[in-house]
Amino acid sequence: AQKVTQAQTEISVVEKEDVTLDCVYETRDTTYYLFWYKQPPSGELVFLIRRNSFDEQNEISGRYSWNFQKSTSSFNFTITASQVVDSAVYFCALSAVQGNQFYFGTGTSLTVIP
Amino acid sequence: ETGVTQTPRHLVMGMTNKKSLKCEQHLGHNAMYWYKQSAKKPLELMFVYNFKEQTENNSVPSRFSPECPNSSHLFLHLHTLQPEDSALYLCASSQERDFGELFFGEGSRLTVL
């Protein structure tokens, strides 16, 4: 079975603080992809990153960084020096081998307080 | 033109009405999806179309009827809905059988009275 768990429902931080959003996944597949999406109030989910199961290298993109650890089945997302514009709901997702099937977590609502 | 466009953005309907949601993608993708987003729940995959053929139907009630006339357009026909069907309905597209990312529209916020 495929499953994505985002245990943090809501997080509030003060602007300029760092924040980490947790994502834990379950899959029996050896080949899979992990994603993070951002959903601002407008509703559209915006793609942030894709990581395949064979690449555990951490990635940094500006203030965003991702820590993929297969040993703990986690794919955590850190925002450094958070800004008000980072306020949104963030979804972690898993793409399985079979077909065009994406499994989403329940999302973490991040509020950055000015 | 934005990648994935959904209309209407907001829809209020009674339980006896018939309405349709429309999705159009300008990305040249071959797969299109309908997702339902309810509060505090994961996104629920409803339907998947690959090259205009329906490949997934996740036990969706028959009061939701999808239609995919071509690779660029996807409809969700609604009839005799229930109040619990009120949600944000998101359309997405992706390359066929690729692990590439989904591209989402802004969603249609549906309220059933």
Side-chain angles (χ1 to χ4, degrees), chain A residues 77-93:
Chain A
F77 172 32
T78 297
I79 302 174
T80 304
S82 59
Q83 300 176 2
V84 173
V85 293
D86 296 327
S87 297
V89 181
Y90 291 86
F91 291 92
C92 182

Side-chain angles (χ1 to χ4, degrees), chain A residues 9-10 31-33 35 37 39 42-47 50 89 91 95-102 104-106, chain B residues 9 31 33 35 37 40-43 45 48 50 56 58 88 90 94-102 104-106:
Chain A
T9 306
E10 297 180 357
T31 302
Y32 53 89
Y33 280 72
F35 300 79
Y37 285 85
Q39 186 179 36
S42 62
E44 177 183 357
L45 273 80
V46 178
F47 166 79
R50 176 183 68 177
V89 181
F91 291 92
S95 180
V97 172
Q98 296 178 357
N100 302 84
Q101 183 72 282
F102 283 75
F104 285 85
T106 50
Chain B
R9 294 292 313 280
Y33 312 72
Y35 280 89
Q37 185 177 24
K40 310 297 183 187
K41 288 186 176 181
L43 271 72
L45 178 64
V48 181
N50 215 11
E56 293 280 341
N58 279 4
L88 181 67
L90 290 160
S94 72
Q95 289 294 339
E96 181 258 345
R97 294 214 177 272
D98 186 22
F99 288 101
E101 65 269 27
L102 294 173
F104 284 87
E106 292 182 310

